[in-house]
């Protein structure tokens, strides 16, 4: 039986995306992760790795997601928790049977200690290139919040990491068959960025979204209502998250998307309304914050 060229190409593409990039030495059990993190959600609390779907793994801590997306042509790491957590992230990657040097690109959700503190250490361990949107660059490299970050002064500094490239809104980042799209979602920080891509588990494919934090937190002296352009960009980012093609939602703090319950079947892992609901909650909290400021 002959195989048409386009059919063969489709089959090869599906195999590249769906096939694990290495034999695992860990069972990557979500149940083990949830059991290990019972009663713990600290930024640096160590946790075992867990497979979320297809080639996507949580390799972070009990309280912070560090997301590993794998392929035979290299891997992507989104966020790296704290500097203290970096050795555990490295161990988790190796426990899954992957090599640290095969992590080719690191991407950022937002430029705070709890998500970016481990980048410098992971950069040394992997040699990976760190990519980020322009508003996050100075903070990632200095380890200090930028002057226009609503939370400036609230978070401790962290080891700065070299930013090797700037990505624009809706820019595509490729590592072999992994294709991610950046989405500017400022608000929580000026450089907040969400990411979307497609992952497959054999014949099942899902639209994945790593939606960045959207809470309207700030230093006591900061008023969002004094920064209308920032608020407008904040709302535009929430609209962008709501409009994404979203089967599986993942957030930097697992509790923000009920990730651990979803991984063990206490709630649906796949929910096409999850991104819209997540954005709706962000809009409501931002509106409540603005209303409180108006009352004052």
């Amino acid at each position: 039986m002959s195989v048409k060229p386009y059919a063969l190409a489709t089959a090869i593409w599906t195999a590249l995306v769906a096939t694990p990039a290495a034999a695992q030495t860990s069972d990557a059990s979500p149940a083990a992760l949830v059991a290990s993190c019972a009663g713990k959600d600290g930024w640096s609390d160590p946790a075992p790795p867990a497979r979320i779907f297809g080639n996507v793994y949580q390799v972070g801590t009990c309280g912070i997601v560090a997301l590993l997306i794998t392929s035979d042509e290299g891997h992507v790491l989104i966020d790296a928790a704290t500097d203290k957590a970096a050795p555990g992230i490295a161990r988790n990657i190796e426990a899954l049977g992957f090599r640290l040097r095969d992590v080719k690109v690191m991407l950022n959700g937002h430029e705070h200690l709890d998500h970016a503190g481990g980048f410098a250490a992971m950069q040394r361990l992997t040699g990976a290139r760190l990519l980020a949107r322009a508003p996050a660059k100075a903070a990632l490299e200095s380890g200090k919040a930028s002057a226009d970050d609503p939370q400036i002064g609230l978070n401790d500094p962290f080891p700065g990491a070299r930013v090797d490239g700037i990505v624009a809104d809706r820019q595509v980042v490729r590592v072999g068959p992994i294709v991610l799209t950046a989405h500017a979602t400022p608000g929580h920080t000026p450089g907040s960025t969400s990411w979307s891509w497609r992952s497959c588990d054999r014949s099942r494919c899902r639209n994945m979204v790593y939606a960045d934090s959207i809470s309207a937190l700030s230093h006591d002296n900061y008023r969002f209502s004094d920064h209308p352009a920032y608020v407008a960009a904040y709302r535009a980012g929430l609209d962008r998250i709501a409009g994404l093609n979203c089967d599986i939602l993942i957030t930097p703090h697992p509790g923000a998307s009920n990730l651990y319950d979803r991984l063990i079947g206490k709630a649906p892992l796949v929910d096409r309304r999850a991104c819209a609901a997540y954005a709706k909650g962000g809009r409501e909290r931002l509106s409540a914050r603005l209303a409180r400021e108006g009352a004052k």
Side-chain angles (χ1 to χ4, degrees), residues 13 17-18 53-56 69-70 177-181 195-201 203-209 245-247 272:
W13 171 260
V17 175
F53 177 81
N55 61 336
V56 181
I69 309 169
T70 65
I178 303 170
V179 182
L180 301 105
T181 302
W195 298 91
S196 64
W197 69 99
R198 191 164 173 82
S199 285
C200 296
D201 184 0
S203 61
R204 295 184 304 147
C205 295
R206 296 288 183 259
N207 296 304
M208 315 289 292
V209 173
N245 196 355
C246 175
D247 294 324
R272 292 175 177 82

Side-chain angles (χ1 to χ4, degrees), residues 14 30 35 55 58 69-70 90 97 127 145 151 154 163 186 206 212 233 237 243 262 282:
T14 301
N55 61 336
Q58 151 68 325
I69 309 169
T70 65
Q151 296 183 56
L154 285 183
V163 175
R206 296 288 183 259
D212 193 39
R262 291 162 54 219

Side-chain angles (χ1 to χ4, degrees), residues 62-78:
C62 289
I64 299 293
V65 171
L67 209 62
L68 184 70
I69 309 169
T70 65
S71 83
D72 287 335
E73 297 180 43
H75 317 317
V76 174
L77 181 68
I78 306 180

Side-chain angles (χ1 to χ4, degrees), residues 147-238:
D148 52 350
D149 187 334
Q151 296 183 56
I152 187 169
L154 285 183
N155 296 291
D156 291 336
F158 56 88
R162 182 188 69 254
V163 175
D164 299 293
I166 299 299
V167 293
D169 183 28
R170 293 185 173 87
Q171 182 173 334
V172 169
V173 175
R174 299 177 185 269
V175 175
I178 303 170
V179 182
L180 301 105
T181 302
H183 305 277
T185 52
H188 190 73
T189 69
S192 285
T193 307
S194 299
W195 298 91
S196 64
W197 69 99
R198 191 164 173 82
S199 285
C200 296
D201 184 0
R202 296 180 175 84
S203 61
R204 295 184 304 147
C205 295
R206 296 288 183 259
N207 296 304
M208 315 289 292
V209 173
Y210 186 77
D212 193 39
S213 299
I214 55 175
S215 52
L217 299 176
S218 75
H219 190 279
D220 289 344
N221 295 330
Y222 185 93
R223 287 167 47 89
F224 282 91
S225 51
D226 292 337
H227 304 273
Y230 193 84
V231 170
Y234 198 156
R235 285 177 165 148
L238 292 169

Side-chain angles (χ1 to χ4, degrees), residues 2-291:
S2 63
V3 179
K4 294 182 178 180
Y6 70 84
L8 179 60
T10 300
I12 292 172
W13 171 260
T14 301
L16 281 171
V17 175
T19 303
Q24 295 177 29
T25 57
S26 165
D27 63 5
S29 165
L33 167 65
V34 173
S36 178
C37 290
K40 296 185 292 185
D41 64 353
W43 294 349
S44 302
D45 286 341
R51 184 171 178 260
I52 295 176
F53 177 81
N55 61 336
V56 181
Y57 302 85
Q58 151 68 325
V59 294
T61 66
C62 289
I64 299 293
V65 171
L67 209 62
L68 184 70
I69 309 169
T70 65
S71 83
D72 287 335
E73 297 180 43
H75 317 317
V76 174
L77 181 68
I78 306 180
D79 282 348
T82 63
D83 183 43
K84 182 180 178 181
I89 293 173
R91 287 193 297 271
N92 281 344
I93 293 171
E94 292 181 322
L96 290 168
F98 302 116
R99 297 178 299 189
L100 292 177
R101 68 174 179 267
D102 289 334
V103 179
K104 302 301 184 183
V105 168
M106 296 190 298
L107 304 173
N108 180 227
H110 66 267
E111 59 275 25
H112 281 164
L113 162 70
D114 46 340
H115 309 286
F119 276 136
M122 291 305 297
Q123 203 165 44
R124 292 192 298 270
L125 290 168
T126 65
R129 299 174 67 240
L130 174 60
L131 308 180
R133 289 200 308 112
K137 183 177 187 293
L140 290 173
E141 293 193 328
S142 68
K144 299 177 182 179
S146 61
D148 52 350
D149 187 334
Q151 296 183 56
I152 187 169
L154 285 183
N155 296 291
D156 291 336
F158 56 88
R162 182 188 69 254
V163 175
D164 299 293
I166 299 299
V167 293
D169 183 28
R170 293 185 173 87
Q171 182 173 334
V172 169
V173 175
R174 299 177 185 269
V175 175
I178 303 170
V179 182
L180 301 105
T181 302
H183 305 277
T185 52
H188 190 73
T189 69
S192 285
T193 307
S194 299
W195 298 91
S196 64
W197 69 99
R198 191 164 173 82
S199 285
C200 296
D201 184 0
R202 296 180 175 84
S203 61
R204 295 184 304 147
C205 295
R206 296 288 183 259
N207 296 304
M208 315 289 292
V209 173
Y210 186 77
D212 193 39
S213 299
I214 55 175
S215 52
L217 299 176
S218 75
H219 190 279
D220 289 344
N221 295 330
Y222 185 93
R223 287 167 47 89
F224 282 91
S225 51
D226 292 337
H227 304 273
Y230 193 84
V231 170
Y234 198 156
R235 285 177 165 148
L238 292 169
D239 290 343
R240 189 163 296 140
I241 290 172
L244 292 175
N245 196 355
C246 175
D247 294 324
I248 297 179
L249 169 66
I250 307 165
T251 50
H253 292 272
S257 52
N258 197 27
L259 178 63
Y260 290 168
D261 278 353
R262 291 162 54 219
L263 288 179
I264 59 173
K266 288 187 175 181
L269 177 63
V270 177
D271 181 355
R272 292 175 177 82
R273 299 167 298 178
C275 282
Y278 181 62
K280 180 175 182 289
R283 278 193 294 267
E284 291 171 349
R285 290 188 294 274
L286 176 59
S287 294
R289 170 63 188 264
L290 293 168

